[in-house]
Amino acid sequence: MPILSIESSCDETACAVLENGRALLASVVASQMDIHARYGGVFPEVASRQHVLSIVPVVEQALAEAKISLQDVDAIAATRGPGLAGSLVVGLNAAKGLALGSGKPLIGVNHLEGHLYAAWLHPASEQNPPPPPQFPLMALLVSGGHTEIDLMTGHLTYQRLGATLDDAAGEAFDKVARMLGLPYPGGPLVEKAAESGDPRAFVFKRPKTDGRWDFSFSGLKTAVLYAVRDLEKAGKPIPVSDLAASFQATVVDALIAKTVDAAREHGVKEILLAGGVSANGPLRQAFLQLQNDGFTVHIPRLAYCTDNAAMIAAAGWFRHQAGERAALDVDVLPTWPLS
Ligand code: KG4
Ligand code: ZN
């Protein structure tokens, strides 16, 4: 039987219906991006109010698209954290209401876990989906709030081997976008600008960290800032595309190098890429190249990379299979590490 899921950790109100842990019957995402763009980032108070407005229509639309009623679902999964408290409470409380009204069990899901499980998803209409990821696997999670390498030895089991010591990869993309005069959300626009740029135009050093599988992006971000300032001082035009391409290439290089190193060290052949930044074309390409080095690479489809509820349903399905249930007085967890 299907699972209904809700996601509202940041600025997307989303609901999905999933069957068998992988086959997606419906995935509806109401984005608030345009509203927050005028503030140059997510405005938490505005985000929670928008979730309140969108949540019921989004759930109704997902059920209609899946052609089922609430009585047909097996369980209701919702994001408990991490994320903005005021945003999380809207989705989690809506899920509690649906669970209470329908008598179906509630399952609380970690948003980061959801991102990883996006790699399991495929549209229900697809006849021959690719094989699901196998364990052990090395997962690189790159989003707006998190960047980490996790070793998964089985379902719902995570060992964090390294993480960013400062900015998350997506955060660095967004901040560099701002320096280059590109509007919010910057990540996709940096990628777009980089398409016509030369990745070797600026030489940015690959960030160094003491921890072998940790990341650091604030030095790189500052290097871009100084490059922009030097050009401005000299009265020269800012080569936005070249700067974007050089920055992006350095980030991709750092992400790939550490993930491969961690996989080799642990004798792991399966690699998984997830989180909003996994929508980045050159990063996806670079990961796919690793297949030539004997790795099996899993990357979620583009539609499931940035925040959505389908991924919450996938993780929720495995938690449901494991017999997990959340109490109806369960609270949100704005800070909630995976491991
Ligand atoms: O996973 P996500 O949707 O939300 C969080 O959980 O944080 O990730 C959003 C982040 C933002 O920083 C956004 O700029 C970045 O992912 N992002 C990208 C791309 N698409 C989204 N970064 C680089 N290239 C992209 N194509
Ligand atoms: Zn996310």
Side-chain angles (χ1 to χ4, degrees), residues 19-297:
E19 237 173 8
N20 302 325
R22 297 193 70 197
L24 195 56
L25 296 173
S27 177
V28 178
V29 181
S31 176
Q32 309 172 6
M33 210 177 273
D34 294 347
I35 297 164
H36 298 289
R38 68 181 93 125
Y39 306 107
V42 177
F43 196 132
E45 178 68 25
V46 174
S48 26
R49 283 171 187 227
Q50 283 301 318
H51 285 307
V52 171
L53 294 176
S54 304
I55 190 72
V56 172
V58 161
V59 171
E60 283 175 343
Q61 193 182 332
L63 285 169
E65 281 182 17
K67 299 190 177 62
I68 60 166
S69 78
L70 195 56
Q71 284 315 315
D72 301 325
V73 308
D74 213 18
I76 291 152
T79 307
R80 262 189 90 186
L84 299 169
S87 288
L88 288 163
V89 289
V90 180
L92 184 62
N93 282 310
K96 284 181 194 174
L98 293 173
L100 187 65
S102 64
K104 309 284 178 177
L106 175 72
I107 299 156
V109 175
N110 183 307
H111 179 85
L112 308 178
E113 178 172 76
H115 272 304
L116 299 183
Y117 273 88
W120 269 258
L121 294 167
H122 69 85
S125 58
E126 193 174 58
Q127 295 300 318
N128 294 306
Q134 303 292 315
F135 303 108
L137 70 79
M138 199 58 72
L140 173 69
L141 173 63
V142 271
S143 71
H146 296 82
T147 293
E148 59 186 66
I149 295 179
D150 295 291
L151 172 63
M152 287 181 77
T153 49
H155 277 299
L156 313 172
T157 311
Y158 313 95
Q159 185 191 345
R160 191 166 82 173
L161 301 178
T164 184
L165 304 173
D166 38 61
D167 291 348
E171 192 180 356
F173 264 94
D174 295 339
K175 288 178 177 170
V176 163
R178 212 172 302 160
M179 290 172 202
L180 299 178
L182 303 169
Y184 171 87
L189 298 177
V190 170
E191 180 185 351
K192 185 109 198 60
E195 277 169 19
S196 55
D198 176 4
R200 286 167 305 246
F202 292 83
V203 180
F204 296 124
K205 278 195 218 119
R206 187 193 281 179
K208 282 217 169 77
T209 53
D210 290 341
R212 207 164 144 196
W213 300 303
D214 284 334
F215 297 98
S216 166
F217 295 108
S218 79
L220 172 60
K221 180 189 69 185
T222 310
V224 177
L225 181 69
Y226 286 167
V228 171
R229 278 205 193 146
D230 289 348
L231 287 160
E232 277 173 351
K233 269 192 207 150
K236 292 188 180 153
I238 308 298
V240 171
S241 292
D242 285 348
L243 279 165
S246 304
F247 161 78
Q248 180 176 260
T250 312
V251 173
V252 169
D253 179 55
L255 294 174
I256 294 274
K258 299 238 168 168
T259 311
V260 168
D261 189 55
R264 290 217 168 105
E265 177 83 16
H266 290 82
V268 172
K269 287 283 176 201
E270 301 257 330
I271 288 186
L272 187 152
L273 171 68
V277 183
S278 67
N280 183 270
L283 180 62
R284 297 171 79 87
Q285 282 306 320
F287 262 84
L288 288 174
Q289 287 292 321
L290 297 177
Q291 293 179 142
N292 302 332
D293 300 330
F295 290 107
T296 304
V297 178

